[in-house]
Amino acid sequence: ATMHTHIRSLSAMIDELFELSRIEAGAIDWSIRRVELALLLDETVPAMAPEARAQQIELRTQLGSDALVAEADPEKVQRVLFNLIRNAIRHTPADGTITVAADGDSKGVEIEVSDTGPGISAADRDRVFEAFYRGESDAARCSDGAGLGLAVARAIVEAHGGRIWLAAVTDGTSVRFRLPRHPPG
C-alpha cells in the first residue's frame, strides 16, 4: 500500500512536470474560446468541495455582478483553479475557509483564491511560483505536493496573456490571476 501511494505520487509529479515543460515549450494545443467563468466556477468549486469537507474547511464562491467572460482554454483555466484550490486546502487548518472570488472590468477578468491559513512568509513570496519550490518552513516542506502546482498555474495563465500574483493580505494567502476579457460581439 505504501509503494502504491508513492508510485501514484511520483506519477502525478511526472505528469505535472511534463505538462509544465510542454507549456513552456509552446507544445500544447490550446482551445481558446469564449469562456463564461461563472459557469466554470460553478463546475470547479463543487468538484473540490469533498476534498475541502474532508479537511473540515468551508469552500465558498463570490461572483461579481458583471458578466465574467474571458478569452481562454476552459480546461486549462480549470486546471489553474484546481491547483490553487488544492494548494489552499493543503495549507488551511480545519475550521478554516477558502473563498474563490471572481470579478471583471472592461479589460479582463480576475479570479482570486484566498484562504485563512498561516499565509506565506516574506522570504517565500518571491519564489512560490517557481517549479519545485515548497517554502522554507517545515510545514510547507512536509506537506504533500512536489512544488509544481503554482508553477503550472503560472505557466498556463501567462500562456493566455494573463498574469498571476500573490495579493497583499493581512491574514492567510490570496492568489489572484487575471485573464483577457473576451471581445464583445
Side-chain angles (χ1 to χ4, degrees):
T2 302
M3 280 181 28
H4 184 65
T5 300
H6 289 294
I7 289 169
R8 250 193 352 251
S9 177
L10 184 58
S11 178
M13 181 178 68
I14 290 168
D15 289 346
E16 281 189 326
L17 187 56
F18 183 63
E19 181 177 21
L20 180 61
S21 65
R22 287 181 54 215
I23 292 167
E24 289 178 346
I28 295 230
D29 291 327
W30 297 90
S31 178
I32 305 292
R33 61 182 182 269
R34 180 183 193 273
V35 178
E36 293 192 32
L37 292 173
L39 295 175
L40 190 64
L41 290 172
D42 284 346
E43 180 182 310
T44 306
V45 173
M48 296 299 295
E51 195 172 326
R53 271 194 305 274
Q55 300 298 319
Q56 300 175 347
I57 297 168
E58 180 185 358
L59 180 57
R60 56 180 133 172
T61 306
Q62 293 178 344
L63 299 177
S65 58
D66 190 23
L68 301 170
V69 180
E71 188 76 12
D73 182 320
E75 290 179 10
K76 298 302 182 196
V77 173
Q78 189 170 53
R79 175 65 186 269
V80 171
L81 289 166
F82 280 143
N83 286 1
L84 296 181
I85 295 168
R86 188 165 286 121
N87 202 54
I89 291 169
R90 190 176 290 131
H91 295 285
T92 301
D95 297 324
T97 302
I98 298 169
T99 303
V100 181
D103 212 344
D105 58 28
S106 63
K107 295 181 183 173
V109 293
E110 201 167 285
I111 298 176
E112 175 183 60
V113 177
S114 59
D115 65 54
T116 58
I120 297 173
S121 73
D124 292 335
R125 290 185 70 80
D126 291 336
R127 298 192 61 203
V128 295
F129 294 104
E130 293 178 14
F132 300 111
Y133 191 74
R134 294 177 55 197
E136 293 297 330
S137 73
D138 290 337
R141 286 192 310 271
C142 294
S143 68
D144 291 338
L148 289 170
L150 291 178
V152 168
R154 182 194 70 209
I156 291 170
V157 170
E158 289 178 354
H160 280 86
R163 74 179 195 99
I164 188 168
W165 69 97
L166 290 176
V169 293
T170 55
D171 294 313
T173 300
S174 176
V175 180
R176 289 185 183 173
F177 67 95
R178 185 170 183 82
L179 297 172
R181 165 105 37 207
H182 185 277

